[in-house]
Amino acid sequence: QVQLVESGGGLVQPGGSLRLSCAASGFTFSRYAMRWYRQAPGKERELVAAISALSGSTNYADSVKGRFTISRDNAKNTVYLQMNSLKPEDTAVYFCNARGIDLPRYQYWGQGTQVTVSS
């Protein structure tokens, strides 16, 4: 039973910080690249950050570069997204995604966690 369970979302004021967590189970976590996506109402789902399976290299959307940090702890089967200097434009549902590096490269999604940035 594959599961990706996000947590850590909530309401925060502009300039504040949140740390999202995604706990994975049911697959070989270390063989999957992990990603955070977000989706605001009326907008397409957007890739926010990614971290590779083998090298741990990271990539970020331009809109969050310098403010967000993705990391993973393979021993805990968990990926994190540290979000600092939050802006109202960051308001969205944030989704955890896993994509395998081995064929057929299975892909899994979490249920999402709401982040609201408002004064």
Side-chain angles (χ1 to χ4, degrees):
Q1 184 76 35
V2 170
Q3 280 195 300
L4 294 174
V5 181
E6 300 98 330
S7 62
L11 175 65
V12 65
Q13 294 185 12
S17 297
L18 284 174
R19 190 195 195 200
L20 306 184
S21 298
C22 173
S25 60
F27 63 97
T28 306
F29 181 79
S30 63
R31 301 292 294 180
Y32 282 72
M34 301 300 297
R35 300 165 178 166
W36 287 97
Y37 287 79
R38 67 186 182 188
Q39 188 166 27
K43 294 187 176 180
E44 293 185 356
R45 187 167 295 186
E46 172 191 24
L47 177 63
V48 176
I51 185 165
S52 68
L54 300 181
S55 71
S57 62
T58 58
N59 289 283
Y60 300 93
D62 288 341
S63 59
V64 308
K65 202 168 296 182
R67 300 188 297 120
F68 290 11
T69 303
I70 188 172
S71 61
R72 67 190 296 160
D73 187 338
N74 286 350
K76 295 182 178 180
N77 285 4
T78 301
V79 63
Y80 306 94
L81 186 67
Q82 178 67 47
M83 305 185 294
N84 299 326
S85 302
L86 282 161
K87 305 175 180 179
E89 308 94 272
D90 297 318
T91 296
V93 177
Y94 284 71
F95 297 91
C96 180
N97 168 269
R99 189 171 183 88
I101 64 174
D102 307 298
L103 292 174
R105 300 197 69 195
Y106 293 119
Q107 188 168 211
Y108 308 113
W109 292 89
Q111 81 290 343
T113 185
Q114 175 71 228
V115 171
T116 303
V117 185
S118 179
S119 59

